Amino acid sequence: RSPQDTSTAIEPDAEGMLLNSIFTTVAPSVVHIKVTQQLSQLDLPSELPFPEAPDEFFRQGEGSGFVLDKNGYIITNYHVVRNSERLEVTFFDGITARAEVIGGDPDSDLAVIRVAVDSSVLKPVILGDSDQVFIGQRAVAIGNPFGQTWTLTTGVVSAVGRTMRSGTSQFSIPEMIQTDAAINPGNSGGPLLDTEGRVVGVNTMILSQSRSSAGVGFAVPVNIVKQIAPSLIEIGHYSYPWLGIS
């Protein structure tokens, strides 16, 4: 009598396969941005390590972005490219190109940059609807934290409708999406995605005393991108209607 076969089939990791599919689809649309920024005298330390200081100081930085369309326009954060002297964009397939800032809006912390590359290199994202985002929804971030290129992190939407002070202006950004998907320095400007691989936000800031992910990250909703990006492309800035008292 042959022994009974008690082996069981291994079930495929459905969620892992889904996340891999999202990454495979969207990663070619995400870029790594290297920035050379000029520092003003106010940004410099009070005591410099050398007696004769040069007239100009520069700092290297990095961030993330995503391809908006086949014309070479890329969305990122304003604070990533602010005061930039040189921008270098690297695509998922290793192609690197110089970029220029087309426009920026410090009030929403959004910017548009542009690269001149063959259209075959450009893989535009699909924009979702941030008004449909709900608490508990799966959230996926792709970016370049601490220079670790094309890193995927996952979590959920922890809250919606947050109002956070923009770090680049006196105004606040409304309707921000809060997520516990790990967001760290270098993720700024990268996409926050839903399970369909659609962009629902632009990863922008974290609340953390250590400057590392504490599970409280915030993304600018993509509907603000839809509102502001066309104006940044056309005239380089966005004019807000507002009413105030002074």
Side-chain angles (χ1 to χ4, degrees):
R1 180 180 179 182
S2 61
Q4 184 178 0
D5 184 4
T6 59
S7 63
T8 57
I10 299 176
E11 294 294 331
D13 181 355
E15 182 174 0
M17 293 174 65
L18 172 64
L19 295 176
N20 180 261
S21 176
I22 293 172
F23 180 83
T24 302
T25 301
V26 181
S29 304
V30 178
V31 300
H32 181 210
I33 303 173
K34 293 182 180 180
V35 187
T36 301
Q37 295 173 313
Q38 183 173 2
L39 300 181
S40 68
Q41 293 297 324
L42 296 177
D43 297 322
L44 300 177
S46 57
E47 295 184 1
L48 295 172
F50 36 83
E52 296 183 0
D55 294 332
E56 295 181 317
F57 285 82
F58 298 92
R59 175 176 59 194
Q60 300 294 323
E62 58 188 342
S64 304
F66 55 88
V67 177
L68 183 63
D69 59 27
K70 285 284 191 177
N71 294 317
Y73 294 113
I74 293 171
I75 299 293
T76 187
N77 280 138
Y78 176 79
H79 76 260
V80 170
V81 299
R82 177 179 54 182
N83 299 327
S84 61
E85 288 291 316
R86 177 188 174 95
L87 292 177
E88 189 176 86
V89 169
T90 302
F91 292 86
F92 187 60
D93 59 5
I95 293 176
T96 298
R98 290 284 297 273
E100 61 174 334
V101 177
I102 299 300
D105 177 40
D107 295 339
S108 65
D109 201 4
L110 293 174
V112 175
I113 64 176
R114 190 179 190 185
V115 292
V117 297
D118 190 272
S119 62
S120 63
V121 178
L122 301 168
K123 312 292 185 185
V125 296
I126 298 174
L127 301 181
D129 182 0
S130 51
D131 288 343
Q132 302 301 315
V133 171
F134 57 89
I135 296 173
Q137 174 180 336
R138 173 65 69 186
V140 179
I142 300 178
N144 307 285
F146 301 114
Q148 303 305 304
T149 53
W150 288 277
T151 295
L152 179 144
T153 55
T154 67
V156 298
V157 173
S158 307
V160 295
R162 296 297 199 201
T163 299
M164 301 296 295
R165 180 71 177 267
S166 171
T168 53
S169 83
Q170 61 179 321
F171 297 104
S172 296
I173 306 173
E175 303 298 326
M176 294 196 80
I177 301 168
Q178 181 181 327
T179 180
D180 67 348
I183 296 173
N184 286 292
N187 274 114
S188 292
L192 186 70
L193 308 161
D194 63 14
T195 54
E196 299 294 326
R198 298 171 298 199
V199 178
V200 295
V202 181
N203 299 317
T204 299
M205 64 179 71
I206 58 175
L207 290 182
S208 173
Q209 294 182 349
S210 65
R211 294 190 72 246
S212 297
S213 176
V216 187
F218 299 91
V220 177
V222 73
N223 287 0
I224 291 183
V225 176
K226 294 177 184 178
Q227 175 185 349
I228 289 174
S231 180
L232 298 184
I233 292 172
E234 183 177 355
I235 60 176
H237 65 273
Y238 184 82
S239 298
Y240 291 88
W242 62 281
L243 177 68
I245 298 173
S246 61

